[in-house]
Amino acid sequence: MEEKKALVESMINGSEAAFDELYHSYSGKLYRMAYFITGNRSDSEDILQETFVKCYLYKSKLKQTERFEPWLYQILVRTAWRLERKKKGRAEISYEGILENEEDKKSAEHIREDKKTDGPLESVLVAETANEIQAALSNLDIKYRTVILLYYYNELSTREIAHITGAMEGTVKSRLHKARKLLKDLLKADSSEKTEMERGFCHG
């Protein structure tokens, strides 16, 4: 923690080496976050690059070095949202291959377990795979998708998410509540569809 704080302070003071080290430390996680939001690899790369360009250009505005990570998320989320507004009506999102390592899979499992909310999703999510959860997320509106990802994937509080997204904390809580319900409904519908298909194969 102290080492990361020292790197951030060095970056603010103009160290390109510190900036490069922070880039390598955070770029993978931020890229995956951008991809979870947009579902597009090219857009995610652009968002990642723009996030770090803004990080370097506006580094002097970061007054609390311990808030570096939430500050990065704030830049990334708002950059992604701006891009999405420009690209309404885009093709269907695909998350194929995004869960590339155990850390990503555990993050999806964290959503599935829903430990923070006494399990309102548990009865539906317990049988779902990480890939099915990611596919369901792709059908959520970007603002609902973002709060789910920030809350579970990044384990941020509703207060931190409010700061990142520029919304009131009450709005974040409302979006999170609705997002959970929508996600549960999507997974139920997907499960029912699979059951019907299996029955069709059995009787075909």
Side-chain angles (χ1 to χ4, degrees):
M1 184 68 177
E2 288 302 315
E3 182 181 351
K4 193 65 64 70
K5 186 177 178 181
L7 276 174
V8 174
E9 288 174 350
S10 294
M11 179 198 70
I12 291 172
N13 290 326
S15 170
E16 291 186 8
F19 175 78
D20 288 344
E21 193 165 340
L22 288 166
Y23 177 87
H24 289 299
S25 178
Y26 284 99
S27 59
K29 191 172 186 179
L30 288 174
Y31 172 81
R32 289 190 291 273
M33 181 68 187
Y35 192 91
F36 284 145
I37 293 173
T38 67
N40 182 286
R41 292 184 184 276
S42 177
D43 287 349
S44 300
E45 289 168 2
D46 290 343
I47 290 165
L48 177 67
Q49 295 306 315
E50 187 172 342
T51 296
F52 276 100
V53 166
K54 288 178 177 176
C55 167
Y56 193 78
L57 289 176
Y58 302 120
K59 59 185 183 294
S60 62
K61 294 183 180 294
L62 180 63
K63 303 304 181 185
Q64 296 175 287
T65 53
E66 67 274 11
R67 301 290 301 163
F68 177 69
E69 189 168 335
W71 182 66
L72 270 184
Y73 288 136
Q74 182 183 54
I75 297 171
L76 182 138
V77 165
R78 296 186 184 188
T79 301
W81 283 9
R82 189 179 67 253
L83 179 64
E84 285 295 288
R85 283 197 298 269
K86 291 180 180 178
K87 302 188 74 170
K88 285 289 186 182
R90 66 190 307 146
E92 182 180 352
I93 293 173
S94 170
Y95 287 98
E96 183 178 357
I98 192 61
L99 297 177
E100 295 171 345
N101 57 43
E102 288 304 311
E103 181 184 347
D104 296 331
K105 291 176 182 176
K106 286 177 183 176
S107 297
E109 289 297 310
H110 192 182
I111 296 174
R112 182 167 66 82
E113 291 168 6
D114 198 26
K115 292 178 180 177
K116 293 184 178 180
T117 56
D118 298 324
L121 291 175
E122 187 174 351
S123 61
V124 177
L125 301 185
V126 69
E128 302 295 336
T129 68
N131 285 333
E132 286 169 335
I133 293 169
Q134 296 302 333
L137 281 172
S138 73
N139 289 306
L140 294 180
D141 177 84
I142 189 170
K143 291 190 177 181
Y144 295 130
R145 191 159 69 239
T146 301
V147 294
I148 285 282
L149 293 169
L150 289 172
Y151 190 73
Y152 290 103
Y153 182 73
N154 298 106
E155 298 185 330
L156 299 177
S157 69
T158 53
R159 179 175 294 181
E160 289 172 315
I161 296 169
H163 181 72
I164 287 169
T165 60
M168 300 291 289
E169 187 175 2
T171 301
V172 170
K173 289 179 179 179
S174 176
R175 286 176 183 169
L176 189 58
H177 175 77
K178 186 168 183 179
R180 291 189 191 112
K181 183 180 184 306
L182 290 170
L183 187 60
K184 181 171 70 173
D185 291 344
L186 285 166
L187 288 167
K188 274 185 176 179
D190 183 59
S191 179
S192 298
E193 185 177 333
K194 285 182 180 177
T195 301
E196 289 301 317
M197 288 178 66
E198 288 168 0
R199 286 175 180 168
F201 282 126
C202 289
H203 295 290

